[in-house]
Amino acid sequence: MSQRRPVTAQDVARLAGVSQSAVSRCFTPGASAAPQMRERVEAAARSLGYRPNLIARSLITRRSRIIGVALGYLHNQFYPAVLEALSEALQAIGYQVLLFTAPQEGDADPRIADILRYQVDGLVLASASLSSRLAAECRASGVPVVLFNRTTAGDDGTESVSGDNEAGAAMIAAFLVAGGHRRLAYVAGLENSSTNRDRQRGFCAALAAHGLAPPRIVAGGYDHTQAQRAAALLFASGDPPDAVFCANDHMALAVMDAARHSHGLRVPDDVSIIGFDDTAPASWPSFSLTSFSQPVAEMVAATVGLLVARLADPDAPARQLVLPGALVVRGSARLPARGLVTEAGRRIWRPQ
Amino acid sequence: MSQRRPVTAQDVARLAGVSQSAVSRCFTPGASAAPQMRERVEAAARSLGYRPNLIARSLITRRSRIIGVALGYLHNQFYPAVLEALSEALQAIGYQVLLFTAPQEGDADPRIADILRYQVDGLVLASASLSSRLAAECRASGVPVVLFNRTTAGDDGTESVSGDNEAGAAMIAAFLVAGGHRRLAYVAGLENSSTNRDRQRGFCAALAAHGLAPPRIVAGGYDHTQAQRAAALLFASGDPPDAVFCANDHMALAVMDAARHSHGLRVPDDVSIIGFDDTAPASWPSFSLTSFSQPVAEMVAATVGLLVARLADPDAPARQLVLPGALVVRGSARLPARGLVTEAGRRIWRPQ
DNA sequence: TTGAAAGCGGTACCAA
DNA sequence: TTGGTACCGCTTTCAA
């Protein structure tokens, strides 16, 4: 029998012969209620199929137990992995994820402003296409915001959790130089993203520090198709690179495929390719991609930690967390003579 | 200035010098309000940064404009693609997605029962690990439920949208037979899933219809690692198959990688491999996987359509939609002599 | 067209 | 420990 009118606490109260407040108390963890009454109420609730209405509850408690999560491009496997981990972690402490997908291009701000009307208890912004202004706006309205895998340009007090993009990219540069490469290229991610800015800066600065010329830079937009075009630009040119650092794995896989199948190059014999993120496909034998690993589990845990802390104390100082990663060495780039170590089952590079 | 107390319609009313109900009307699409008042209210709302509280609204309208979406394993690229499309489609008509990730193993029912307390307007269940009992329970509580990429065992009246798993698998069998294969294997998905049941049944029945022996069946659990083990079982055996149908792409990629890199086999010269779903990586040159394409866009549109229809009329008859797909032919399986056609830029197989 | 008032389904305070 | 009651922020009659 499909019941049209949902069962309310009032219905349960009537059936159990108690007041509605008593019913409420029976469903409130540390509230006072006599065992016998609690039993009667629970029996009534069970028989009616009563489920407390969380919407009504949050109206008064001013806590929805919902965290908004804004994501962009789910084709890059990094994000599904993040989303799954984040959702699991939040569910484990009694929160649900209200998902918000932002188009890769264009202004997603007006649409995400909507999410605030749902009274989310917090917000995780993991899309580069969301402006920093939006983040500031959310903070102004009192909603804790954590930027994930991105930072704001000026340190405007928005909390963030990210990997060490600059150090990672610098390590990749050092690794390639140690491997004897001299003609380097960088396939860039989204121009306006903080991750791309930091990775590019770290890579270029490290190359300069090693006395090398700046890398050739081609746009990849963190996009698979665009990265294929970038590969064509690089490999069909008169002076092809001997190593390519791609700003993320998603593009690196495209570049590797193009190198091998469109340009007849051997990897790493003819060209070394390195990615960033260390997503699952990087370890697949077809790719065996050397990549800088972002510590997804730790980043997610840190994000949840920041959220929880701020929920408990809205005036806690905002922190910008940068979590260290590791260069996971596989077969897509020529190996340097030294510095390779095995740690926790992964082969990583640790110079000196 | 971070405002602790959120702005309410009452605040706006006071500032604009009108009643609170008037403010409400100004934010209700087809409500009556004099242009001049509307202007005053909008100005006041703007200056205060007022955002109608959707939680409060849904308490009275009994519509949350939230759709719950339950997903399992996001490592299989099929699901991120579905989630993105679903979220976009729902956002476009003013709904948000409340995400629910179910562990691949174990009983996720108790945790998802929670989602009902959020008063979702509808539910999309796209995880095999959710019981049909749960679906029935949701329906009983009056929440429209659509099963996505799965069906219930008995036709118990739960709506569903799926690809034509049986016909697709049968077509794959016919394709392999036409390609001259005789020693077939099937890498199975989750044992208790409807998709696996249908694909296995379709494959086996078609083989039998062609007078072939039943395929060798090994368990893959829709999991990448398990599929690698399945490949080892198949290729290291005394009588390796000359063609393997994997119940989804995610496993097919693992099997292909194992075939090539662990067992020294050439694809498709030594063994043909076919998948199901036609996810993005299938078209990557490294794999060039022949796969039965599930029409994700159409499936998502149909799902949203069912939801909307049922929201409008809860008593509409429940429908089980099965959407046709196509066998997208690439390079991972030997080609039959005839039946290959190009359609909308895809090479597909259409026997007679 | 506008405002007053009655809820929506709960929580939380109060006095009993 | 219990029940009564005043809200939470909004929508929706109903009169004016």
Side-chain angles (χ1 to χ4, degrees):
Chain A
M1 39 114 245
S2 98
Q3 41 198 24
R4 278 296 89 105
R5 198 176 67 73
V7 182
T8 72
Q10 196 59 255
D11 301 327
V12 176
R14 227 169 348 240
L15 181 60
V18 298
S19 75
Q20 185 265 333
S21 352
V23 174
S24 171
R25 261 180 262 119
C26 289
F27 284 89
T28 307
S32 62
Q36 48 187 18
M37 183 193 78
R38 165 159 274 143
E39 232 165 76
R40 288 237 311 285
V41 168
E42 276 169 2
R46 234 188 334 270
S47 83
L48 292 176
Y50 170 67
R51 279 185 240 278
N53 181 331
L54 256 34
I55 293 279
R57 169 182 296 177
S58 50
L59 189 56
I60 177 110
T61 59
R62 289 146 176 274
R63 287 242 176 283
S64 61
R65 301 206 73 87
I66 292 178
I67 302 291
V69 175
L71 285 177
Y73 188 62
L74 286 175
H75 299 272
N76 171 2
Q77 299 242 49
F78 179 70
Y79 287 106
V82 165
L83 182 58
E84 186 162 348
L86 198 50
S87 172
E88 288 289 333
L90 288 172
Q91 282 176 189
I93 56 171
Y95 285 86
Q96 293 294 332
V97 167
L98 191 67
L99 180 67
F100 195 86
T101 50
Q104 184 81 333
E105 322 244 319
D107 188 11
D109 286 14
R111 274 167 56 183
I112 211 202
D114 266 21
I115 221 172
L116 289 177
R117 314 202 320 178
Y118 281 96
Q119 312 300 115
V120 293
D121 289 346
L123 211 39
V124 176
L125 301 183
S127 166
S129 61
L130 269 17
S131 77
S132 303
R133 190 184 56 62
L134 175 73
E137 188 178 337
C138 295
R139 287 212 345 281
S141 72
V143 177
V145 177
V146 178
L147 301 180
F148 187 96
N149 197 36
R150 55 168 295 199
T151 53
T152 43
D155 171 11
D156 68 344
T158 304
E159 300 205 289
S160 62
V161 173
S162 52
D164 198 343
N165 296 300
E166 204 158 341
M171 184 177 282
I172 286 170
F175 180 84
L176 289 172
V177 171
H181 304 86
R182 291 299 176 268
R183 301 192 315 281
L184 307 184
Y186 175 68
V187 177
L190 282 172
E191 304 240 354
N192 55 356
S193 67
S194 67
T195 46
N196 180 64
R197 183 175 24 76
D198 295 348
R199 290 169 197 176
Q200 179 166 334
R201 179 193 298 146
F203 190 60
C204 295
L207 288 184
H210 282 88
L212 267 81
R216 170 141 183 223
I217 297 175
V218 289
Y222 284 143
D223 175 80
H224 198 269
T225 307
Q226 210 178 323
Q228 284 182 311
R229 285 199 291 268
L233 243 49
L234 291 174
F235 300 132
S237 73
D239 180 33
D242 59 4
V244 183
F245 166 37
C246 302
N248 72 3
D249 281 9
H250 190 61
M251 296 193 297
L253 301 183
V255 169
M256 190 186 295
D257 260 3
R260 285 176 175 156
H261 298 97
S262 302
H263 302 278
L265 299 171
R266 290 164 305 161
V267 177
D269 312 71
D270 299 320
V271 61
S272 286
I273 294 175
I274 296 191
F276 206 105
D277 287 345
D278 191 28
T279 53
S283 69
W284 295 355
S286 280
F287 303 115
S288 186
L289 180 70
T290 293
S291 179
F292 192 82
S293 167
Q294 297 224 68
V296 171
E298 287 84 346
M299 287 169 71
V300 164
T303 301
V304 173
L306 287 183
L307 241 23
V308 168
R310 189 153 286 270
L311 251 21
D313 174 15
D315 299 312
R319 290 181 298 168
Q320 282 82 35
L321 264 36
V322 175
L323 273 50
L327 182 55
V328 178
V329 178
R330 299 198 183 87
S332 68
R334 276 207 312 265
L335 303 181
R338 59 209 318 152
L340 294 173
V341 299
T342 296
E343 188 185 271
R346 300 187 307 182
R347 199 156 160 227
I348 67 172
W349 191 59
R350 193 152 47 196
Q352 291 329 351
Chain B
M1 30 110 243
S2 98
Q3 40 198 29
R4 275 300 86 105
R5 197 176 68 74
V7 182
T8 72
Q10 195 59 256
D11 301 327
V12 176
R14 225 165 354 237
L15 180 61
V18 298
S19 76
Q20 183 266 328
S21 358
V23 174
S24 172
R25 261 179 258 119
C26 289
F27 284 89
T28 307
S32 63
Q36 49 187 19
M37 181 192 79
R38 164 158 276 142
E39 233 165 76
R40 287 237 311 286
V41 168
E42 277 169 2
R46 236 188 332 271
S47 83
L48 293 176
Y50 170 66
R51 279 186 241 278
N53 181 331
L54 256 33
I55 293 279
R57 169 182 295 177
S58 50
L59 188 57
I60 176 114
T61 61
R62 290 146 175 274
R63 286 241 176 283
S64 61
R65 301 206 73 87
I66 292 179
I67 301 291
V69 175
L71 285 177
Y73 188 62
L74 287 175
H75 299 272
N76 171 5
Q77 299 241 48
F78 179 70
Y79 287 106
V82 166
L83 182 58
E84 186 162 348
L86 198 51
S87 172
E88 288 290 334
L90 289 172
Q91 282 176 189
I93 58 171
Y95 284 87
Q96 294 293 332
V97 166
L98 191 66
L99 180 66
F100 195 87
T101 51
Q104 185 81 331
E105 323 245 319
D107 189 10
D109 285 15
R111 274 167 55 184
I112 211 201
D114 265 22
I115 221 171
L116 288 178
R117 314 203 320 179
Y118 281 97
Q119 312 300 115
V120 293
D121 289 347
L123 211 39
V124 176
L125 302 182
S127 167
S129 61
L130 268 18
S131 77
S132 304
R133 192 184 55 62
L134 175 73
E137 189 177 338
C138 296
R139 287 213 345 282
S141 72
V143 177
V145 177
V146 177
L147 301 179
F148 187 96
N149 198 35
R150 55 168 294 200
T151 54
T152 44
D155 171 11
D156 68 344
T158 305
E159 300 205 290
S160 62
V161 173
S162 53
D164 198 343
N165 296 301
E166 204 159 341
M171 184 176 284
I172 286 170
F175 181 85
L176 289 172
V177 171
H181 303 87
R182 290 299 177 265
R183 301 191 314 280
L184 307 183
Y186 175 69
V187 177
L190 283 171
E191 305 240 354
N192 56 356
S193 68
S194 65
T195 46
N196 180 65
R197 182 172 28 73
D198 294 349
R199 290 169 197 175
Q200 180 166 331
R201 180 194 297 147
F203 191 61
C204 295
L207 289 183
H210 282 89
L212 268 80
R216 170 142 183 220
I217 297 175
V218 290
Y222 284 143
D223 175 81
H224 198 270
T225 308
Q226 212 178 321
Q228 284 181 311
R229 284 199 293 267
L233 243 48
L234 290 175
F235 300 132
S237 73
D239 180 32
D242 60 4
V244 182
F245 167 37
C246 302
N248 71 4
D249 280 10
H250 190 60
M251 296 194 296
L253 301 182
V255 169
M256 191 186 295
D257 260 3
R260 285 175 174 156
H261 300 96
S262 301
H263 303 278
L265 299 171
R266 291 164 306 160
V267 178
D269 312 70
D270 299 321
V271 60
S272 286
I273 294 175
I274 296 190
F276 206 106
D277 287 345
D278 190 29
T279 53
S283 69
W284 296 355
S286 280
F287 303 115
S288 186
L289 180 69
T290 293
S291 179
F292 192 83
S293 167
Q294 297 224 68
V296 171
E298 288 84 347
M299 287 170 72
V300 164
T303 300
V304 173
L306 288 183
L307 241 23
V308 168
R310 189 153 285 270
L311 251 21
D313 174 15
D315 298 312
R319 290 181 297 168
Q320 283 81 38
L321 263 38
V322 176
L323 273 51
L327 182 56
V328 177
V329 178
R330 299 198 182 88
S332 69
R334 278 208 311 265
L335 304 180
R338 59 206 321 152
L340 294 171
V341 298
T342 297
E343 190 185 87
R346 300 188 306 184
R347 199 157 161 227
I348 67 172
W349 191 58
R350 193 152 46 196
Q352 287 335 345

